[in-house]
Amino acid sequence: MRSDGQTGILSGNRTIIIGSGNATSPLFPTPEGHQGEEGAIGIFNHDLQLTNVKMFGGSGDERFYNYCQDINHDFYFLGYSFSQDYDLPGNYNLGEANDFWIVKTDSNFNKIWSKNFGGSNSAGDLATSSWHGNFLFHNNSLLYFGSSVTPEDLPDFDINCGNLLIPPVPVVKLDAWLVAFDLSTSVSELHLPLVEYTIFPNPNNGSFQLQFPFSNIEKQLFVYNINGEEIYTTPIYETEKAVIVLPNLPNGIYYVALTGKDLFYASELIIFQ
């Protein structure tokens, strides 16, 4: 693991160090298919012995630079991402340049959601090894203040302001950039119940089976994208197993919720064509 990011103190006199890790690490392996560098979290005990490493990413290179916590002790990790698969919902540049990236985890570093943002150019000084911005939780919002590379034409994805440079431009210019994320409408709202059913296979291409341990309950299936928008729903009448075929959806992370009388279960779904 390489630490280019923040260091902090956790409960129990533990130390957290974030940065990047090797997806092929034999000591802390990542799921099959992950490659290159991952956004990494290293946990050390009170004797500064490494006790655990959690890594998130995909088939490209990712890195964490900063983190903060909310009032529920959930974590938010800020970095950059290249991947369009596995832990990443997408990439604005189709993997040609990096995006800004936030991952939310619970207090045990289990992923709740992952979001990329930015524009068609690289992710400002997060693309380097010397980030000088700030990232914090305040009033149920995440605030990021750093730099972004101004696109040639505005607006551009999430960057809808900036200084348009008049050619010829001798060097690449960076703009100061303030971004606020309203967590009251976050997809973390979908991370409430425990998973009580099985999605198989997962990842899949949009076709999968649901297996559930309960019977004779009217159920409704909902599928949400990473932004919490409902993109598919259907009733389910089967008692033990159902086959679901979703419409053609882009690769990424989705959330499946199964509801009924006194019933609400949710789980993560990964689509990879």
Side-chain angles (χ1 to χ4, degrees), residues 13-24:
N13 202 24
R14 297 175 300 162
T15 300
I16 179 176
I17 296 178
I18 66 173
S20 63
N22 189 341
T24 60

Side-chain angles (χ1 to χ4, degrees), residues 76 104 112-113 182-190 226-228:
Y76 301 86
K104 179 179 180 179
I112 296 176
W113 52 255
D182 181 7
L183 298 177
S184 65
T185 58
S186 165
V187 296
S188 62
E189 300 295 329
L190 300 175
I226 194 68
N227 297 315

Side-chain angles (χ1 to χ4, degrees), residues 21-140:
N22 189 341
T24 60
S25 167
L27 294 179
F28 301 98
T30 57
E32 184 178 357
H34 288 231
Q35 300 177 33
E37 293 186 346
E38 303 267 287
I41 307 160
I43 308 299
F44 296 78
N45 64 18
H46 63 280
D47 293 322
L48 295 182
Q49 296 174 326
L50 181 64
T51 59
N52 194 16
V53 173
K54 297 283 287 188
M55 291 193 284
F56 304 93
S59 58
D61 288 333
E62 278 75 46
R63 183 173 296 170
F64 288 147
Y65 276 100
N66 209 331
Y67 79 93
C68 60
Q69 280 186 282
D70 62 20
I71 57 176
N72 298 314
H73 305 292
D74 291 335
F75 288 91
Y76 301 86
F77 296 93
L78 172 70
Y80 71 75
S81 63
F82 274 93
S83 300
Q84 306 175 71
D85 47 20
Y86 300 105
D87 293 322
L88 276 299
N91 181 279
Y92 286 143
N93 314 285
L94 299 179
E96 295 299 323
N98 55 37
D99 286 344
F100 297 89
W101 180 39
I102 293 177
V103 174
K104 179 179 180 179
T105 74
D106 62 20
S107 58
N108 293 315
F109 307 105
N110 298 304
K111 187 184 66 178
I112 296 176
W113 52 255
S114 169
K115 180 174 178 58
N116 66 304
F117 63 105
S120 58
N121 286 312
S122 295
D125 56 3
L126 286 183
T128 71
S129 59
S130 56
W131 179 59
H132 304 291
N134 205 352
F135 182 58
L136 56 90
F137 174 86
H138 179 67
N139 288 342
N140 206 33

